[in-house]
Amino acid sequence: MTSAGPLPDDLVRLRNQLAAVPFALDTPGRDAAVRAVRSVVDQVDDHLLPRLRDVDAPLLVVVGGSTGAGKSTLVNSLLQAEVTRAGVLRPTTRTPVLVCAPADRGAFADDRVLPVQVEVHPAVPEGLALVDAPDVDSVVEANRDLAGQLLSAADLWVFVTTAARYADAVPWDLLRTAAERGTALAVVLDRVPPEATREVATDLAGMLERAGLAQARLWVVEERPLVGGFLPEDQVAPLRGWLRGLAADAEARAEVVRQTLVGALASLDDRVAGIARAVDEQAAAAAALRTAADAAYGRAATAVDEGVRNGTLLRGEVLARWQEFVGTGEWMRSLQAGIGRLRDRVTAAVTGRPTPAQDLTGALESGVERLLCSAAETAAEDTVTTWRGLPGGAAVVAGRERELSTVGPQFTEAAGRTVRDWQGAVLELVRGEGAGKRSRARLLSWGVNGAGAVVMVAVFAQTAGLSGAEVAVAGGTTVVGQRVLEAVFGDSAVRQLAERARGDLDERTGALLHVEHRRFTELLDGAAGPDDAAGLRESARTVARARG
């Protein structure tokens, strides 16, 4: 018998990792992987760990098979007592019944097996427990799942079928699974017409051999009238005797336990490998979706940057306000007269109208806000469109395409606030730059708003700062603003102002788009990653080493 050693702890670690793996994306292999995870976790909980921790526990014999095969009648007949309900209505077995000897009741007091009704009966020999499982092909999905779960918990599976249904596909899927996992197996061929016994039994034996189950014991029960609700004694006595022999022979019982235990442990390699591949698929799908969103919002940032740099913002309303601001030379005259700041305040207070500098910065604010909204809107639409065509993506956006295909509800307000904050930061840059200019600080203080407006326009009008260039806009060209700033600050300082202002706008734009980008990436936060698959593979290798 395999020595437990560190194996139980290693199995618990693998089991917990499997149970925690998220299959959040609707990839092609997801459903099969989810079923495989549930199967492995159930088998670890219901069979491997209990058996490793107590190799001498009663032999768990699960009687399972097709609908109407007579499983409950067989169990009752083996014990000559009605311990489980048999009937003509399907599905018959809804709550599995586990029957054991009174002395073995304590072995099943700690929920070793999943939802079963535990009964004790003196006809069951010590060291043996029988479970009447639901139909493996039940019309009720929960019954099918429970049947598979109980079969995975078995030390020995007694598969019951009939002469009319022994070739059905669903039971054979489970029989092949038993072969792959090395499960100890006995087959009961029930309701066989006496005249066809040899022919049918020979055919079924050949099918078992071709399926790799030649070692399975085959028992034939002929179709005869029940006697007091039980199968005729001569039909069940051979199987009863074999089971009692297993219970009485510690070595034979241990061999059955060892066969199934070793087979189940060995099967973990391929089963976990298949799950890990499905996790790889999940991780790849999540990465592709993230890449698509990254690309869409990367293009949005580029579009904003190009819109800032290529001068397209300096048209229409902005152009008109710029021409009003510097076209008449009023700003220059206000600076030369030293009354610009005072006049701006008086004009605004008396008339209630914004100053030309305020008109210009307001027009710039609206233009940049529209640019940001347009880029973010396009990014959202592009992301949704691309995700629909990627594995797992359609299900993520399903039902919320309308919401995701446009900017978030707070974006427009946030965009306006971002631009206003940037404009305020530009004024602080200008004010800070002039603070140390002793001979020119007073001049600057009179025209901070105007100087700031010129710096803003410069950011949108040129691609490489102000050095050696003129601030040109559509039908008019002026160097007034630039020359004044150069006179106040110096040529190098002006270039630095424009570069810093542009860099600050880039950062604020990036942060704003990042929030929008997160609307998509946070939908993938629960998806599996490469580390999940790597962890499963490493834990499976650890289990393989521990089992020897």
Side-chain angles (χ1 to χ4, degrees):
M1 178 65 62
T2 301
S3 175
L7 187 52
D9 291 340
D10 294 333
L11 275 173
V12 168
R13 188 177 303 109
L14 174 60
R15 175 246 185 258
N16 290 342
Q17 284 180 308
L18 286 167
V21 170
F23 286 92
L25 301 178
D26 187 16
T27 54
R30 180 182 69 173
D31 292 345
V34 169
R35 290 192 296 271
V37 166
R38 185 168 61 243
S39 174
V40 173
V41 168
D42 287 345
Q43 190 166 38
V44 171
D45 288 344
D46 304 332
H47 176 237
L48 295 176
L49 288 176
R51 182 52 74 188
L52 285 169
R53 289 166 177 164
D54 186 1
V55 295
D56 296 322
L59 186 72
L60 187 61
V61 180
V62 175
V63 180
S66 306
T67 300
K71 300 181 296 297
S72 298
T73 299
L74 176 64
V75 171
N76 290 338
S77 298
L78 287 169
L79 302 178
Q80 289 292 293
E82 189 171 349
V83 295
T84 182
R85 186 168 66 91
V88 296
L89 296 178
R90 301 290 177 248
T92 299
T93 303
R94 293 179 174 85
T95 301
V97 176
L98 183 151
V99 191
C100 63
D104 289 332
R105 178 65 179 84
F108 303 103
D110 59 352
D111 296 328
R112 176 179 184 270
V113 180
L114 285 171
V116 294
Q117 176 183 336
V118 179
E119 302 284 351
V120 298
H121 197 280
V124 182
E126 290 185 24
L128 183 74
L130 291 174
V131 177
D132 181 18
D135 303 327
V136 297
D137 54 357
S138 173
V139 295
V140 179
E141 183 179 2
N143 279 357
R144 295 196 305 272
D145 291 343
L146 184 53
Q149 188 171 354
L150 289 171
L151 292 173
S152 293
D155 295 308
L156 170 64
W157 181 20
V158 176
F159 172 65
V160 184
T161 187
T162 65
R165 303 195 59 186
Y166 68 86
D168 286 1
V170 173
W172 275 96
D173 286 340
L174 285 174
L175 285 170
R176 280 187 285 270
T177 298
E180 293 167 359
R181 299 182 188 176
T183 304
L185 176 70
V187 178
V188 176
L189 183 59
D190 195 10
R191 298 177 183 168
V192 181
E195 68 277 9
T197 297
R198 181 181 297 275
E199 178 184 355
V200 174
T202 300
D203 187 43
L204 177 54
M207 294 178 68
L208 290 169
E209 183 175 3
R210 290 189 293 275
L213 294 166
Q215 301 301 315
R217 298 291 295 267
L218 177 58
W219 309 91
V220 178
V221 177
E222 293 181 355
E223 187 171 22
R224 295 184 189 175
L226 298 179
V227 179
F230 304 131
L231 296 169
E233 179 62 17
D234 66 319
Q235 298 299 300
V236 296
L239 176 58
R240 183 193 298 123
W242 181 65
L243 291 173
R244 283 183 174 275
L246 285 177
D249 187 338
E251 187 175 340
R253 187 171 68 247
E255 177 56 29
V256 171
V257 169
R258 187 202 65 81
Q259 176 186 335
T260 300
L261 179 59
V262 170
L265 287 170
S267 75
L268 293 178
D269 292 344
D270 288 340
R271 295 161 74 187
V272 175
I275 294 169
R277 287 193 294 272
V279 176
D280 285 334
E281 183 182 60
Q282 288 274 307
L289 293 172
R290 287 192 182 93
T291 297
D294 292 348
Y297 281 90
R299 291 192 297 271
T302 299
V304 172
D305 184 64
E306 291 178 351
V308 167
R309 293 172 180 271
N310 63 18
T312 55
L313 285 172
L314 302 182
R315 295 176 183 144
E317 180 72 9
V318 174
L319 172 61
R321 298 309 175 203
W322 170 253
Q323 290 173 330
E324 287 178 4
F325 181 58
V326 297
T328 61
E330 288 185 9
W331 182 58
M332 184 61 180
R333 287 195 298 273
S334 72
L335 287 176
Q336 292 172 335
I339 60 172
R341 183 181 181 190
L342 176 62
R343 187 179 66 184
D344 282 351
R345 288 178 175 177
V346 172
T347 301
V350 174
T351 67
R353 294 195 304 271
T355 66
Q358 291 171 329
D359 286 339
L360 175 58
T361 54
L364 285 171
E365 177 188 335
S366 298
V368 178
E369 181 181 321
R370 286 193 298 270
L371 175 63
L372 292 171
C373 289
S374 175
E377 190 93 17
T378 299
E381 292 175 357
D382 288 351
T383 302
V384 169
T385 299
T386 305
W387 277 24
R388 285 197 191 107
L390 291 173
V396 173
V397 300
R400 42 185 154 186
E401 291 95 334
R402 188 171 182 178
E403 167 196 346
L404 292 173
S405 294
T406 187
V407 295
Q410 308 300 321
F411 182 81
T412 300
E413 179 182 346
R417 186 168 58 250
T418 294
V419 179
R420 290 191 297 274
D421 289 347
W422 172 73
Q423 290 176 325
V426 171
L427 296 182
E428 289 303 314
L429 279 176
V430 172
R431 184 175 290 110
E433 185 66 25
K437 314 290 183 180
R438 294 179 179 273
S439 62
R440 289 164 288 190
R442 183 164 169 269
L443 177 64
L444 177 62
S445 68
W446 290 333
V448 167
N449 289 345
V454 172
V455 172
M456 294 176 205
V457 170
V459 168
F460 299 117
Q462 296 178 320
T463 61
L466 293 170
S467 178
E470 296 178 348
V471 179
V473 187
T477 299
T478 178
V479 295
V480 172
Q482 179 181 343
R483 287 179 176 174
V484 169
L485 292 181
E486 289 177 351
V488 173
F489 300 125
D491 186 34
S492 175
V494 171
R495 287 198 304 271
Q496 291 177 6
L497 278 174
E499 289 170 359
R500 290 168 63 186
R502 183 178 297 118
D504 184 39
L505 181 59
D506 288 343
E507 289 183 9
R508 293 174 188 271
T509 297
L512 183 69
L513 292 176
H514 176 72
V515 174
E516 281 294 288
H517 187 195
R518 279 291 299 162
R519 291 195 306 140
F520 289 93
T521 56
E522 68 185 6
L523 298 176
L524 306 174
D525 285 348
D531 289 346
D532 294 303
L536 289 179
R537 292 187 173 101
E538 179 56 33
S539 292
R541 286 192 292 268
T542 300
V543 168
R545 288 192 296 267
R547 74 170 188 260

